[in-house]
Amino acid sequence: MADVARRAGVSTMTVSHVINGHRNVRDETKARVLAAIAELDYQPNLAARALRRGRVGAIGLAVGHIEHAYNANLARTVTAQASALGYHVAIEATGGHLDGEVATWQRSPVFYDGLLINASQLERLPDGVRADFPVVFLGESMSDPAVDHVAMANVDGIRLATQHLLDRGCRRIAMAGGSMTTLRMVTLRTEGYVSALTCAGLPIDPALIVRTADAPPHTMGAATVATLVAAGTPFDGVVCTTDSVAHGVLRGLADAGLDCPRDVRVIGFDNLSDSNYSVPSLTSIDPHDDDLVAAALGMLIERMDGFAGPGRSITGACSLIERESTV
């Protein structure tokens, strides 16, 4: 910076003002400084700047599996919005395991100014983490009142999806990926399914709630159809915990010689862009990810700026996007 200042005939403070975009620098002076920076190929020392400011200008985003379509979409949304706010985003994969989620949280203060964590196992503030480190939880398993929390409309979304199939005349509706005893996101979505059927006066048939353990989403969806068909369980609609599971269901129906939507109507959850291009295109619940991410980043930056109040909780809205799979 001193070399740039000498070349431009200004003080190092003026060079700093130009680099940091301060407005109190005359255009002529700014032009000389920028020319000197270009001539000397000056690169600011980001590590030194971070130490001086006490920030690194980066936010961590922890997800279970980066190969899952929803997590990829989440990463794109977070990266775009954070970049517009002047922050870089680093993606970490926890593997969906408790140890991985805790380890990511423990080491985050070394690398990031704050952390967004989309966890499936953590239910409380883990031992060995800095309680004052800015964290916002994306998901449904966290119940610690000290942690900021942004959740999807899981119950309302699947209730809306199930009611949509009921309105289309379906009466034997399966739940692909559903469970009352596994991950909280899954149990909440199953709760919405059960609620809609109960309100319609229909019985809950356990044979229609199918989850194949430890299977990738597409495999789970295809296996759901194979399980129902092999057992001779009649079904005319399928509510899916995610769009990826639903895409597997569409494959499974084709393999079984069943037509969607003529024989079986299918609806997903996430409204991934790929759902416009499946055959048939997939009706889905849109969880308004843009709004959820904006809320989460807003809360995180408030924490990074010193907000020390109690944990806050937000549950987003949702809407149904109808496509060919349920017409």
Side-chain angles (χ1 to χ4, degrees):
M1 190 178 291
D3 292 339
V4 171
R6 282 190 293 271
R7 178 65 63 90
V10 299
S11 68
T12 55
M13 182 62 71
T14 299
V15 175
S16 177
H17 287 338
V18 171
I19 291 171
N20 291 293
H22 292 185
R23 297 179 180 179
N24 58 339
V25 180
R26 291 185 303 168
D27 290 343
E28 179 186 348
T29 303
K30 181 178 179 180
R32 291 207 316 272
V33 171
L34 292 176
I37 287 173
E39 290 170 12
L40 297 173
D41 192 25
Y42 169 66
Q43 301 292 326
N45 187 323
L46 298 180
R49 181 188 294 184
L51 286 171
R52 185 173 66 253
R53 294 179 174 178
R55 288 197 180 182
V56 296
I59 291 170
L61 171 64
V63 298
H65 302 278
I66 57 176
E67 69 272 20
H68 287 183
Y70 176 76
N71 289 335
N73 183 69
L74 177 65
R76 283 193 298 269
T77 305
V78 170
T79 300
Q81 291 196 20
S83 178
L85 296 170
Y87 291 93
H88 298 290
V89 177
I91 314 298
E92 297 220 23
T94 66
H97 303 302
L98 179 60
D99 289 348
E101 292 170 358
V102 172
T104 298
W105 200 327
Q106 287 174 331
R107 66 173 173 262
S108 287
V110 178
F111 301 106
Y112 315 125
D113 297 321
L115 175 68
L116 298 176
I117 180 166
N118 185 20
S120 59
Q121 303 296 329
L122 276 169
E123 296 183 355
R124 60 178 179 81
L125 192 69
D127 296 332
V129 303
R130 277 178 44 192
D132 64 337
F133 179 66
V135 172
V136 174
F137 195 90
L138 300 169
E140 291 72 34
S141 61
M142 176 60 68
S143 58
D144 194 318
V147 180
D148 289 332
H149 181 202
V150 176
M152 288 184 182
N154 290 294
V155 177
D156 288 346
I158 292 295
R159 185 188 292 122
L160 178 62
T162 307
Q163 185 61 52
H164 177 69
L165 294 185
L166 290 169
D167 292 343
R168 294 297 178 272
C170 299
R171 289 299 178 268
R172 293 283 299 171
I173 301 173
M175 177 76 180
S179 172
M180 297 302 292
T181 60
T182 185
L183 306 178
R184 192 162 182 233
M185 176 275 283
V186 173
T187 60
L188 288 172
R189 294 185 184 181
T190 307
E191 180 183 327
Y193 161 82
V194 169
S195 173
L197 293 182
T198 301
C199 288
L202 295 175
I204 307 304
D205 184 350
L208 289 171
I209 303 176
V210 182
R211 182 175 182 85
T212 52
D214 299 323
H218 296 91
T219 303
M220 184 183 298
T224 294
V225 176
T227 298
L228 293 169
V229 171
T233 304
F235 63 105
D236 55 9
V238 184
V239 174
C240 305
T241 50
T242 69
D243 279 7
S244 294
V245 171
H247 293 147
V249 166
L250 293 177
R251 176 73 260 176
L253 291 173
D255 290 344
L258 295 170
D259 181 80
C260 176
R262 186 185 64 220
D263 300 320
V264 180
R265 291 181 167 89
V266 178
I267 186 168
F269 190 116
D270 287 334
N271 195 34
L272 299 177
S273 59
D274 289 353
S275 296
N276 290 292
Y277 301 101
S278 60
V279 180
S281 58
L282 180 67
T283 298
S284 183
I285 299 299
D286 184 349
H288 299 185
D289 282 334
D290 285 348
D291 294 338
L292 292 174
V293 169
L297 283 172
M299 293 164 71
L300 185 65
I301 290 172
E302 286 177 352
R303 291 287 180 188
M304 288 158 49
D305 287 341
F307 176 74
R312 300 158 292 179
S313 183
I314 295 173
T315 299
C318 65
S319 56
L320 187 145
I321 309 299
E322 186 174 13
R323 300 188 181 94
E324 296 165 346
S325 67
T326 59
V327 295

